[in-house]
């Protein structure tokens, strides 16, 4: 601990000031301290060893009277000295400075405690939020991964189907081509044979009444290949799945939702909690209303709510219950 440099006694100025009066804020030697405490007005003064005293911390002085502040006026919220009190604050609510400081310290301690609690709660909230953020980011990456894997699986299936179709077409083409080429070759050979016979007949002087057998000149027609295109546009949601953004509170609340996402006529359905406003708007129904599906046309459906008969909606807005 740093010690104050030794000062001279401020009373006799001959001896070293080894003692410090906290009330007078002055350095005393031991002899002057004894004389000081014998004075009736100074008997209650407190002395400390000079080497542990902190003379830099001094009590504020009343600028008007030059006296130390000893009281605190609660009415004016001001410090007062012994002279100010009876002249200016005699009818006010006041107390000793130490009592006011103790009260202020108590209130400050409560404020400090409340601030520490608030900071502790804020830190806990930050920790919880950071954990939730990390879980959310992991969930996002997992969903993206699932979508990519699902699309890759569908693409692989489509590629396998494409390869199978093309292979079947090539095999059919090879078979029909070979068959047709053989028939063409047979016709050529027969035609050449018939031409030779005809030339021989022309060179003969006399022609017999023998009948000439002409080679058959008919060929078979290759079997046709047909590919029946799907008449409707493919719906990605039915191939990959539905993507919904659901509040965490909704996940905990909706225990009655069925795992199946296929909706058909006669099913009991309701509007998904994640849908704030349906495509065709609200009527008297709400998210808690349960209706029966009466018809489905593409992505649009009609259903009967107890509050609204013939309500219109879309499949992506509804869930089974």
């Amino acid at each position: 601990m740093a010690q104050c440099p030794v000062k001279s006694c401020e009373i006799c100025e001959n001896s070293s000031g080894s003692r410090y009066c906290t009330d007078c804020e002055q350095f005393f030697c031991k002899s002057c301290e004894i004389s000081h405490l014998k004075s009736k007005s100074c008997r209650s003064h407190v002395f400390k060893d000079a080497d542990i005293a902190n003379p830099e911390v001094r009590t504020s002085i009343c600028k008007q009277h030059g006296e130390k502040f000893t009281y605190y006026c609660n009415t004016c919220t001001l410090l007062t000295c012994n002279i100010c009190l009876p002249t200016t604050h005699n009818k006010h609510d006041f107390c000793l400075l130490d009592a006011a400081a103790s009260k202020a310290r108590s209130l400050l301690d409560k404020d400090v405690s409340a601030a520490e609690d608030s900071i502790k709660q804020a830190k806990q909230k930050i920790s919880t939020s950071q954990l939730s953020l990390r879980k959310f980011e992991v969930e996002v990456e997992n969903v993206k991964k699932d979508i990519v894997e699902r699309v890759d699986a569908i693409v692989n299936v489509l590629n396998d189907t494409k390869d199978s179709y093309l292979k079947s077409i090539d095999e059919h083409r090879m078979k029909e081509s070979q068959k047709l080429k053989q028939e063409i070759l047979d016709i050529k050979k027969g035609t050449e044979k018939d031409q030779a016979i005809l030339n021989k007949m022309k060179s003969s002087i006399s022609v017999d009444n023998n009948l000439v057998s002409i080679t058959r000149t008919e060929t078979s027609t290759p079997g046709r290949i047909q590919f029946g295109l799907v008449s409707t546009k493919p719906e990605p949601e039915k191939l990959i799945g539905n993507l919904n953004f659901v509040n965490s509170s909704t996940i905990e609340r909706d225990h009655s939702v069925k795992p199946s996402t296929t909706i058909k006529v006669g099913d009991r359905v309701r509007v998904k909690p994640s849908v704030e406003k349906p495509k065709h708007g609200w009527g008297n129904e709400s998210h808690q209303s349960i209706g029966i599906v009466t018809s489905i046309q593409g992505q649009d459906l009609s259903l009967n709510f107890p509050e609204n008969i013939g309500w219109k909606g879309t499949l992506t807005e509804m869930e089974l219950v």
Side-chain angles (χ1 to χ4, degrees):
M1 178 183 293
Q3 295 182 343
C4 297
V6 178
K7 292 187 177 183
S8 298
C9 175
E10 297 181 45
I11 307 301
C12 68
E13 298 182 353
N14 292 323
S15 303
S16 62
S18 61
R19 300 288 289 169
Y20 182 78
C21 178
T22 59
D23 294 275
C24 298
E25 297 179 348
Q26 288 180 308
F27 288 95
F28 289 74
C29 64
K30 190 63 178 177
S31 298
C32 292
E33 175 189 355
I34 295 173
S35 299
H36 186 67
L37 292 175
K38 288 181 179 181
S39 174
K40 186 176 182 179
S41 60
C42 302
R43 288 177 182 175
S44 61
H45 286 197
V46 177
F47 277 82
K48 292 183 178 180
D49 289 337
D51 58 350
I52 63 173
N54 187 3
E56 299 299 326
V57 180
R58 294 180 178 272
T59 305
S60 300
I61 302 297
C62 175
K63 293 182 179 180
Q64 183 178 0
H65 303 106
E67 295 287 333
K68 292 191 300 181
F69 290 122
T70 53
Y71 296 94
Y72 178 77
C73 180
N74 295 309
T75 305
C76 302
T77 64
L78 293 174
L79 297 176
T80 66
C81 68
N82 292 329
I83 301 176
C84 290
L85 185 64
T87 58
T88 310
H89 307 276
N90 59 336
K91 294 183 179 180
H92 292 183
D93 178 23
F94 61 90
C95 62
L96 288 172
L97 187 59
D98 290 342
S102 177
K103 181 179 179 181
R105 188 179 296 107
S106 177
L107 294 175
L108 184 59
D109 289 340
K110 291 182 179 179
D111 291 340
V112 169
S113 178
E116 289 177 343
D117 290 341
S118 297
I119 292 173
K120 182 179 179 181
Q121 293 176 5
K123 289 181 178 179
Q124 291 177 347
K125 180 63 176 178
I126 291 173
S127 177
T128 302
S129 298
Q130 289 176 337
L131 179 60
S132 298
L133 178 59
R134 288 194 292 269
K135 289 182 178 180
F136 173 73
E137 290 175 346
V138 171
E139 183 182 60
V140 168
E141 293 303 320
N142 289 337
V143 170
K144 290 169 64 177
K145 181 180 177 181
D146 290 342
I147 293 174
V148 171
E149 291 178 351
R150 178 62 174 165
V151 172
D152 289 343
I154 293 173
V155 171
N156 290 336
V157 171
L158 292 177
N159 286 332
D160 291 343
T161 304
K162 177 196 69 175
D163 294 340
S164 177
Y165 281 1
L166 295 180
K167 181 179 179 181
S168 298
I169 291 173
D170 288 338
E171 291 176 350
H172 182 76
R173 180 185 64 183
M174 183 66 68
K175 179 180 178 181
E176 293 297 324
S177 296
Q178 290 177 350
K179 178 181 177 182
L180 190 56
K181 287 179 180 178
Q182 185 61 46
E183 291 179 353
I184 293 173
L185 182 61
D186 292 342
I187 291 174
K188 284 183 177 181
K189 289 182 179 179
T191 301
E192 291 173 356
K193 182 178 179 181
D194 291 340
Q195 185 65 47
I197 294 173
L198 180 60
N199 292 337
K200 187 176 180 180
M201 290 174 60
K202 287 182 179 180
S203 62
S204 299
I205 298 174
S206 60
V207 179
D208 296 332
N209 291 329
N210 294 332
L211 296 175
V212 178
S213 176
I214 304 300
T215 303
R216 181 176 63 84
T217 58
E218 295 181 358
T219 60
S220 61
T221 302
R224 296 181 61 193
I225 299 176
Q226 294 182 340
F227 176 64
L229 292 172
V230 179
S231 59
T232 58
K233 182 180 179 181
E235 298 179 15
E237 293 85 357
K238 291 185 178 180
L239 294 175
I240 301 174
N242 293 323
L243 178 64
N244 296 317
F245 299 96
V246 184
N247 293 329
S248 57
S249 58
T250 304
I251 296 176
E252 297 175 357
R253 184 173 61 252
D254 294 339
H255 297 293
S256 59
V257 178
K258 296 181 179 179
S260 174
T261 57
T262 303
I263 298 176
K264 58 185 181 298
V265 175
D267 283 340
R268 289 162 50 86
V269 298
R270 66 184 175 195
V271 178
K272 293 178 180 178
S274 58
V275 178
E276 294 183 2
K277 183 178 180 181
K279 177 180 178 181
H280 300 292
W282 291 104
N284 296 324
E285 63 286 335
S286 65
H287 284 105
Q288 286 72 39
S289 301
I290 298 177
I292 306 298
V293 179
T294 57
S295 66
I296 299 177
Q297 294 182 349
Q299 287 295 306
D300 294 328
L301 53 76
S302 297
L303 54 99
N304 293 335
F305 282 119
E307 304 90 345
N308 191 353
I309 304 299
W311 186 82
K312 303 293 183 182
T314 62
L315 287 172
T316 56
E317 296 173 342
M318 311 306 295
E319 64 181 9
L320 291 166
V321 295

